[in-house]
Amino acid sequence: MNLNDANGLTVVMGVGGAGTRMLELAAATQSAVASTRWIAVNTDQASMNQVRLPHLLIGASGQPAVCAANGREAALHSAIDIAGALQGARRLLVLAGLGGGMGSGATPEIARMAMEMGIDVTVGVGMPGKWEGPQRHAQACAGLSALQGLGCKVEVAHFDELSAEMPNSTTLDEYSAELTKVLLEKTIA
């Protein structure tokens, strides 16, 4: 996917907490791209208050705890808002971390909605490290399987592979930056 393509708008969405961090890092390195709309998507109002990019708060009004635990339901509930954010786009790049509720649940739904709108979809996802436990790994695998079943382009970066290449003193922010760099190299031509 080429963000500098003059033949239409590219929307780059960061979904969930990890996806939003990746989006902010990506926007900082790709800021000169004129035909790109950057959008953070989450159910958590407090985290969205910290985002300096345009954002879309999704989920059922008055039920944030339910929606935060189930990103798929939040995306389905907010389908009209998501479609509005995608309006006019020719391409969509979704960045997300899998393993939690938002990335694993909402990302496949957002990708499906975009594909139904005729938008070319590429997804870049980070898989959780073993230290995050078997439940997060299972959720990540389910989310990845759902994405792969859609037929869109899916690029994956594995936290454990990155951590094996980095010093033990590496911070979580540094891992996030490296994960974002790897995913951007895989998804942006």
Side-chain angles (χ1 to χ4, degrees):
M1 176 177 290
N2 183 351
L3 295 183
N4 287 312
D5 187 344
N7 295 321
L9 175 68
T10 299
V11 172
V12 182
M13 279 189 173
V15 179
T20 297
R21 284 189 297 280
M22 287 189 266
L23 179 76
E24 290 187 306
L25 290 165
T29 62
Q30 305 286 324
S31 61
V33 182
S35 60
T36 301
R37 182 184 306 150
W38 306 90
I39 304 171
V41 179
N42 208 336
T43 56
D44 179 15
Q45 179 68 58
S47 70
M48 295 308 270
N49 290 340
Q50 306 301 316
V51 177
R52 292 181 293 271
L53 295 167
H55 56 274
L56 178 61
L57 189 66
I58 66 171
S61 299
Q63 297 179 324
V66 172
C67 293
N70 192 337
R72 180 177 182 275
E73 291 300 319
L76 290 172
H77 182 81
S78 301
I80 293 171
D81 295 329
I82 292 168
L86 295 171
Q87 198 64 34
R90 189 160 175 258
R91 291 166 304 282
L92 171 65
L93 170 59
V94 182
L95 299 171
L98 299 183
M102 275 303 295
S104 298
T107 301
E109 289 305 317
I110 291 169
R112 180 191 56 75
M113 289 177 207
M115 291 174 72
E116 288 175 358
M117 294 172 69
I119 299 170
D120 179 32
V121 177
T122 300
V123 181
V125 295
M127 294 295 281
K130 289 178 184 165
W131 59 271
E132 293 186 72
Q135 182 178 355
R136 287 183 81 80
H137 181 73
Q139 279 184 255
C141 289
L144 181 59
S145 178
L147 284 165
Q148 290 169 330
L150 293 173
C152 60
K153 181 179 179 184
V154 180
E155 295 291 348
V156 182
H158 295 270
F159 190 89
D160 288 334
E161 290 174 12
L162 287 176
S163 64
E165 299 171 6
M166 299 180 80
N168 289 341
S169 61
T170 305
T171 67
L172 189 55
D173 285 343
E174 291 168 330
Y175 280 120
S176 292
E178 186 62 23
L179 183 75
T180 302
K181 179 181 162 196
V182 168
L183 287 174
L184 288 178
E185 287 170 359
K186 289 182 173 192
T187 57
I188 298 176

